[in-house]
Amino acid sequence: MKLLENKKALVTGSSRGIGRKIAEAFLREGAEVWGMCTKESAGKAELEALAKENSTSFHEFYADAGNSESLTKAVQDVLGESGGFDVLVNNAGITRDTLSFRMKKEDWDAVIAVNLTAAFLVGQIISSDMIRKRSGSIINMTSIVGLHGGAGQVNYAASKGGLVGYSKSLAKETGGRGVRVNCIAPGFIDTDMTQAVKEDIRAAWVEQIPLKRAGKPEDVANAALFLASDLSSYITGQVLGVDGGMGC
C-alpha cells in the first residue's frame, strides 16, 4: 500500500519548485492532490498524467495568496468540492529582498501577507474541518532564514519565523483532536529562485554546508511526504531542517 493512498492533500504554491515536487511525491504515493497557484501552471498536464499513472487525480485551482478575500473564498470552495483534506502543505511564498533601511512598507506588507497571513487563513479553514474529523497533518514551509535570519531579508525572515511560532501554537491547540502541525525549514535549495543568485555567492553558500552541496526540491518533498504520512504519527510541533547541516 502506498504511503498516502486514500488521502487528499492541498498544496499551495504547486506550480513550480518545491511545491511542484511535493505535489509529484504525493501523487506517486497515491494521494489525490489539489494544487493552488495564481494561474494555470505550465506543468498542469504533466501532473494530471502522473496522477492517472498512479490511479489518482490532480486538481489545480487558482487564488492570489496576497488577497485575503479571494484566497478565503477559493479555499472554502475547494474544501466543499473535495469533501475535506487529510493533508495541508502551506508552501506559497514570495521574496522582496533589500536592506531594512531601504525596504518599502509595501514590500514588507506583501511578504507578510503571502508567506504568513495566507498560511493562517488557509490553515484556519482546513484545520477546522480536520478538527471535526479528528485527523489531519498540516505542514508549513518555513526557512533556515526564519530560524537564523538573513541580511537583506528582514521581511522574509519575519514571515518565516512567524510561521514557526504559529505552527507550534496551532500544534498545541489541535493535538488533542488528532491534528498534527509541523514545519519544514529548507536551507539552500537549488530552485529557479536560487539559480538567479550570482555563482560566486552560490559557491560561498555551498561552502557553509556540511554536506557540501545545494539541496534539491526532491529533498524537501521527501520530508513533506514523511510528515504527511502515518510514519510521523507521533510527531507534532516540530521544525524539520532540510539544509544539509547548514543550520546546525
Side-chain angles (χ1 to χ4, degrees):
M1 183 174 179
K2 295 182 177 181
L3 287 175
L4 300 183
E5 195 167 335
N6 300 320
K7 292 184 182 291
K8 298 178 183 179
L10 191 162
V11 180
T12 71
S14 62
S15 63
R16 59 193 179 95
I18 290 171
R20 166 71 183 268
K21 291 302 179 183
I22 291 173
E24 290 178 1
F26 284 11
L27 289 169
R28 289 192 183 97
E29 289 298 330
E32 188 173 352
V33 177
W34 276 255
M36 189 190 93
C37 39
T38 55
K39 60 183 180 180
E40 184 170 332
S41 71
K44 179 183 177 183
E46 292 177 359
L47 288 170
E48 290 173 339
L50 179 61
K52 188 174 181 179
E53 289 174 15
N54 289 277
S55 303
T56 185
S57 56
F58 173 75
H59 316 267
E60 196 169 85
F61 73 103
Y62 312 104
D64 177 0
N67 185 314
S68 296
E69 290 185 6
S70 65
L71 174 66
T72 297
K73 184 179 186 307
V75 174
Q76 287 174 335
D77 287 348
V78 81
L79 178 65
E81 292 168 12
S82 66
F85 294 100
D86 304 286
V87 181
L88 166 64
V89 181
N90 274 312
N91 169 73
I94 62 170
T95 58
R96 295 286 187 274
D97 294 351
T98 190
L99 294 174
S100 60
F101 66 89
R102 294 176 181 160
M103 187 172 291
K104 297 177 181 178
K105 183 176 181 295
E106 51 262 38
D107 291 332
W108 172 274
D109 289 344
V111 170
I112 296 297
V114 173
N115 296 4
L116 182 57
T117 304
F120 160 71
L121 292 172
V122 177
Q124 188 176 53
I125 295 166
I126 303 303
S127 68
S128 295
D129 184 64
M130 288 178 171
I131 288 168
R132 181 182 61 80
K133 296 184 296 186
R134 304 187 73 82
S135 177
S137 174
I138 297 173
I139 303 163
N140 294 318
M141 200 64 61
T142 181
S143 166
I144 191 171
V145 175
L147 303 177
H148 299 282
Q153 293 186 296
V154 294
N155 50 1
Y156 187 76
S159 70
K160 294 301 187 177
L163 270 179
V164 174
Y166 160 73
S167 300
K168 287 180 175 290
S169 299
L170 187 61
K172 292 178 183 294
E173 291 183 7
T174 62
R177 296 169 175 84
V179 179
R180 299 182 294 109
V181 186
N182 292 288
C183 288
I184 296 175
F188 177 32
I189 306 298
D190 196 6
T191 64
D192 292 344
M193 188 183 298
T194 57
Q195 285 173 2
V197 177
K198 293 180 179 179
E199 186 59 37
D200 59 333
I201 296 175
R202 288 167 54 89
W205 285 350
V206 169
E207 189 58 32
Q208 299 175 46
I209 301 171
L211 290 183
K212 300 303 179 187
R213 69 170 178 86
K216 297 178 291 185
E218 290 88 345
D219 294 321
V220 183
N222 287 336
L225 180 60
F226 168 68
L227 291 175
S229 76
D230 292 339
L231 293 175
S232 58
S233 62
Y234 197 56
I235 299 175
T236 194
Q238 302 304 306
V239 180
L240 175 57
V242 183
D243 58 14
M246 194 177 186
C248 66

